[in-house]
């Protein structure tokens, strides 16, 4: 099995989950209503847990331990998509990002249940079940607020248009795309992107939100190769703040 | 020390409870996926949720309990057999209800939010209830409201 290809895939997935998990956790204590506060906090815990499980597989493939990998790399060593690192902004943006991201993530893990790399297939079968709660949560609120008041529709529409180029960046092709596909590890970003577009169209069709034509959107790429926005490094600094006080402390 | 029987090991494992739901043993929770007995007792387990913070606690609790019974034990956490709420035993479901948590419905029925509505209230056993939040105080719990009891209750989520 092509280990380099496999590692690249695992890193980008783990980094996505870790970074968005951290962003979700920033809603703790700030949600627009208590239930949403709890929902984003729970999803944060799930996502950070998923990243840990993926970093653990990486460790078994010879990478450093999960804490070192999560807390000591710089922004240019992270492979998360730019979508996940953007600041939370208002609730409308966080909700749109949650919807666009989790739709893709649920489909990605669904595809990976078929992976020829057994540990990833097993983990994906598990995570797939958990992500149903995330996509269900996103779809419920998108359908509700996407058809509610002029204000809610206008706000979501604006956030949707802002987020879409970043969302398409999630499917930035890996240099190992062919190896992943031919070895049956992962069916590839193109297949995932197509599935994702159909799902996004299906949900948005049940709202008053307008989806621009796909070919009018230019993807914001770079995240998968470590070229990030100015928002990632401050997030990493904050995430590793406690560790850096005393890196050798026993917890 | 002679080798214990498989039955005996499961009996000991009954003593190890879910730290968040102390009426439910790990065996009834369905997280013990394999037990083999050779020079030591080898246990395989799988978490309820991947991000469950209690997994290391459970692992240590298993080792301590078996040590107490004079056994050397090793616990391997993996996803070979993935956990689903359907793995909770009937005895476990009864214990959950007594504890005040609505047991999970069949997870195969869960395809959309609507299915999750109308859980059976653990207090009055009626289903005049509504889902308030699919995310509760821990990853495995959802929050419901009983229109008859006029009180909130928690459900062990189907997954
Ligand atoms: Zn009741």
């Amino acid at each position: 099995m092509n280990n380099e290809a496999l590692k690249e895939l695992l890193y980008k997935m783990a980094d996505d989950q870790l970074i968005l998990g951290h962003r979700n956790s920033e809603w703790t204590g700030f949600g627009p209503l208590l239930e949403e506060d709890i929902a984003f906090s729970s999803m944060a815990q799930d996502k950070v847990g998923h990243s840990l499980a993926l970093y653990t597989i990486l460790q078994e493939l010879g990478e450093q331990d999960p804490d070192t990998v999560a807390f000591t790399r710089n922004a240019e060593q992270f492979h998360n998509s730019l979508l996940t690192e953007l600041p939370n902004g208002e609730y409308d943006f966080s909700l749109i990002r949650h919807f666009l991201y989790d739709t893709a993530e649920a489909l990605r893990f669904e595809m990976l249940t078929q992976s020829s790399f057994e540990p990833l297939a097993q983990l994906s079968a598990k995570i797939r079940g958990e992500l149903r709660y995330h996509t269900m949560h996103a779809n419920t609120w998108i359908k509700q607020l996407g058809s509610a008041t002029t204000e809610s529709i206008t706000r979501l529409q604006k956030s949707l248009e802002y987020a879409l180029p970043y969302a398409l960046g999630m499917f930035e092709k890996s240099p190992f795309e062919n190896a992943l596909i031919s070895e049956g590890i992962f069916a590839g970003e193109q297949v995932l992107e197509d599935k994702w577009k159909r799902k996004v169209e299906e949900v948005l069709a049940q709202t008053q939100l307008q989806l621009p034509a796909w070919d009018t959107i230019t993807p914001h790429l770079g995240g998968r190769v470590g070229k990030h926005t100015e928002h990632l490094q401050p997030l990493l600094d904050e995430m590793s703040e406690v560790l850096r006080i005393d890196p050798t402390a026993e917890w | 020390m002679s080798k214990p029987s498989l039955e005996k090991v499961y009996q000991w494992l009954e003593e190890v409870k879910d730290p968040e739901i102390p009426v439910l043993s790990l065996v009834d929770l369905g997280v013990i996926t394999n037990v083999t007995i050779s020079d030591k007792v080898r246990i395989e387990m799988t978490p309820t949720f991947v991000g469950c913070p209690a997994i290391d606690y459970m692992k240590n609790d298993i080792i301590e309990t078996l040590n107490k019974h004079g056994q050397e034990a090793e616990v391997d956490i993996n996803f070979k057999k993935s956990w689903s709420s359907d793995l909770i035993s009937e005895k476990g479901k009864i214990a959950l209800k007594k504890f005040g948590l609505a047991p999970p419905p069949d997870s195969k029925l869960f395809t959309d939010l609507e299915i999750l509505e109308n859980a059976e209230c653990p207090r009055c056993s009626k289903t005049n209830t509504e889902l308030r939040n699919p995310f509760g105080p821990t990853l495995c719990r959802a929050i419901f409201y009983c229109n008859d009891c006029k009180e909130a209750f928690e459900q062990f989520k189907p997954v």
Side-chain angles (χ1 to χ4, degrees):
Chain A
M1 191 156 290
N2 189 323
N3 266 16
E4 289 315 300
L6 189 54
K7 282 183 193 173
E8 202 260 354
L9 175 68
L10 290 167
Y11 264 117
K12 74 181 170 194
M13 289 168 59
D15 290 350
D16 269 352
Q17 298 291 82
L18 180 67
I19 300 302
L20 189 55
H22 188 81
R23 284 295 185 219
N24 281 351
S25 78
E26 292 174 352
W27 276 111
T28 306
F30 292 95
L33 50 157
L34 184 59
E35 290 172 4
E36 280 308 279
D37 204 308
I38 297 169
F40 272 90
S41 307
S42 290
M43 291 190 289
Q45 198 184 338
D46 274 335
K47 288 186 190 313
V48 174
H50 299 162
S51 75
L52 173 60
L54 292 164
Y55 290 133
T56 303
I57 296 182
L58 276 163
Q59 186 180 18
E60 284 154 13
L61 293 172
E63 296 297 286
Q64 283 181 288
D65 71 282
D67 279 342
T68 305
V69 167
F71 295 126
T72 63
R73 282 177 300 157
N74 291 317
E76 63 268 23
Q77 295 167 293
F78 270 79
H79 303 273
N80 59 287
S81 59
L82 303 181
L83 180 70
T84 59
E85 71 199 43
L86 297 174
N88 282 345
E90 299 278 334
Y91 178 71
D92 48 76
F93 172 71
S94 282
L95 180 60
I96 283 285
R97 166 169 57 190
H98 163 37
F99 165 63
L100 297 173
Y101 175 81
D102 279 293
T103 300
E105 213 49 24
L107 290 167
R108 188 186 288 276
F109 280 108
E110 170 86 49
M111 286 165 69
L112 287 167
T113 60
Q114 305 300 318
S115 178
S116 58
F117 181 53
E118 197 58 28
L120 183 56
Q122 287 167 355
L123 179 66
S124 299
K126 177 67 191 143
I127 290 180
R128 172 178 59 172
E130 298 181 10
L131 286 178
R132 282 157 86 187
Y133 281 94
H134 299 212
T135 51
M136 188 177 78
H137 175 263
N139 295 349
T140 304
W141 282 100
I142 290 285
K143 286 182 203 168
Q144 208 159 323
L145 293 176
S147 322
T149 65
T150 312
E151 191 194 356
S152 73
I153 296 165
T154 314
R155 275 172 167 254
L156 283 179
Q157 182 67 38
K158 212 175 126 224
S159 286
L160 177 66
E161 286 166 22
Y162 172 71
L164 279 169
Y166 291 102
L168 285 177
M170 289 189 287
F171 313 108
E172 183 172 353
K173 301 270 187 312
S174 138
F176 302 104
E177 214 63 23
N178 291 337
L180 289 172
I181 297 167
S182 69
E183 295 197 32
I185 298 169
F186 176 53
E189 298 297 329
Q190 190 60 56
V191 173
L192 174 59
E193 181 178 334
D194 292 341
K195 283 175 189 274
W196 175 82
K197 284 177 175 170
R198 300 297 88 78
K199 191 71 204 169
V200 167
E201 288 163 2
E202 181 195 315
V203 175
L204 292 184
Q206 300 169 59
T207 69
Q208 292 178 46
L209 301 171
Q210 304 298 322
L211 187 62
W214 292 115
D215 57 10
T216 62
I217 311 166
T218 311
H220 288 329
L221 305 174
R224 301 303 190 200
V225 291
K227 293 196 181 101
H228 292 279
T229 66
E230 73 273 25
H231 305 297
L232 182 61
Q233 193 57 52
L235 179 153
L236 297 175
D237 291 343
E238 186 188 87
M239 198 168 68
S240 58
E241 201 178 345
V242 177
L243 180 90
R244 277 182 289 114
I245 295 169
D246 182 1
T248 58
E250 288 277 344
W251 294 88
Chain B
M1 175 123 203
S2 66
K3 272 199 334 189
S5 66
L6 200 57
E7 203 185 349
K8 195 77 209 163
V9 172
Y10 272 100
Q11 214 176 321
W12 290 329
L13 288 173
E14 279 284 338
E15 296 167 21
V16 190
K17 309 293 181 190
D18 179 331
E20 283 165 353
I21 310 167
V23 294
L24 192 63
S25 78
L26 298 191
V27 176
D28 286 322
L29 181 59
V31 295
I32 306 293
T33 52
N34 195 31
V35 176
T36 50
I37 303 155
S38 51
D39 54 322
K40 55 178 131 175
V41 179
R42 286 194 173 77
I43 288 161
E44 289 184 75
M45 72 182 294
T46 197
T48 51
F49 279 72
V50 176
C52 177
I55 192 79
D56 281 333
Y57 181 90
M58 293 188 209
K59 177 180 168 172
N60 291 333
D61 209 2
I62 291 174
I63 293 173
E64 276 173 27
T65 302
L66 288 171
N67 287 349
K68 196 180 75 194
H69 290 288
Q71 302 298 324
E72 226 190 301
E74 200 178 83
V75 179
D76 176 33
I77 297 165
N78 63 51
F79 296 94
K80 281 185 210 163
K81 183 176 174 194
S82 119
W83 185 84
S84 140
S85 52
D86 297 340
L87 293 174
I88 300 176
S89 69
E90 284 310 311
K91 177 164 143 268
K93 286 180 185 161
I94 294 166
L96 279 176
K97 198 176 166 189
K98 275 204 194 124
F99 187 63
L101 269 173
D106 187 335
S107 76
K108 286 181 287 301
L109 295 174
F110 162 41
T111 46
D112 204 354
L113 196 62
E114 282 71 41
I115 292 296
L116 295 178
E117 300 279 357
N118 308 117
E120 187 184 300
C121 169
R123 265 181 230 102
C124 66
S125 297
K126 282 187 279 195
T127 54
N128 183 18
T129 62
E130 51 194 79
L131 175 65
R132 282 293 165 85
N133 195 340
F135 296 100
T138 69
L139 293 182
C140 54
R141 303 188 202 183
I143 303 171
F144 281 78
Y145 185 80
C146 176
N147 294 317
D148 290 333
C149 298
K150 307 261 178 264
E151 259 188 81
F153 66 90
E154 292 169 11
Q155 179 210 46
F156 201 104
K157 273 152 78 158
V159 65

